[in-house]
Amino acid sequence: MPEMILTFEWDGKTVHKQTKGFKGSSCVKETKFIEEGLGKAGDRKLKAEYYIREQEKDQNRTRA
Amino acid sequence: MSHYVDVTTEIKDEKALVKALGRLGYQGMVEVYDHAVNLYGYRGDMRSQKANVVLRRKNLSSASNDIGFERMSDGRYRAHISEYDESIGYNEQWRNKLYTYYGVEKAKMDCKARGYKYVEDVDEKQRPRLRVSF
């Protein structure tokens, strides 16, 4: 099941957001409301599985 | 796809701020105003500082002044806390704790508004954590 984990630092401003289990690029779209609601998001770090999926997409495009 | 991102919290939501104050022990004691009102000192003297979210001195200590949070033109809230109250514990550490709880409460409100279920707990470092199911 797709999940978002938010961890709150005690400095009163830093929130770590982690997502997992989402298909495709939906995780950014479906969880962006949290960033917009809390404040300003920093740089996004994509997990390895993102690149694997994107690579698979490229291969499928080449075959088609 | 999965990703990580760090978000910097801005204090902009009045309801979440009130809920956060509630978590610090001031549930039902917070006054909220659309138009900012003056704060009062420990002798009952009216101060020049104004606030939209107010914690009256009667709920603090006998020598305390009102604590308030004023909504600025950009929508963010600014804390008004006297030097005395800073010295008795309403200091940066207290504000950081308050703003941390603000983030938790704001995130819970936003998830609830979209119908997502969540569980709140703490991680291995005792930091508040929300696990949200989609």
Side-chain angles (χ1 to χ4, degrees), chain B residues 16-28:
Chain B
L17 179 58
V18 172
K19 282 175 181 274
L21 285 164
R23 289 185 68 149
L24 290 183
Y26 302 104
Q27 195 166 11

Side-chain angles (χ1 to χ4, degrees), chain B residues 20-38:
Chain B
L21 285 164
R23 289 185 68 149
L24 290 183
Y26 302 104
Q27 195 166 11
M29 301 176 198
V30 184
E31 298 175 12
V32 177
Y33 300 92
D34 280 342
H35 299 286
V37 297
N38 286 91

Side-chain angles (χ1 to χ4, degrees), chain A residues 1-57:
Chain A
M1 181 184 284
E3 189 179 34
M4 171 173 67
I5 300 169
L6 302 172
T7 308
F8 300 81
E9 292 289 348
W10 285 112
D11 65 1
K13 56 187 176 186
T14 309
V15 183
H16 307 293
K17 187 183 100 172
Q18 179 186 355
T19 63
K20 54 186 181 182
F22 285 86
K23 288 183 179 173
S25 58
S26 64
C27 69
V28 175
K29 190 179 171 188
E30 288 191 40
T31 64
K32 200 164 188 185
F33 70 92
I34 282 291
E35 299 164 26
E36 292 166 349
L38 286 174
K40 290 178 182 169
D43 292 337
R44 204 175 302 280
K45 293 170 189 167
L46 301 170
K47 288 186 187 176
E49 63 186 86
Y50 166 79
Y51 296 105
I52 292 167
R53 284 182 184 277
E54 289 302 302
Q55 204 171 30
E56 285 171 356
K57 276 184 191 174

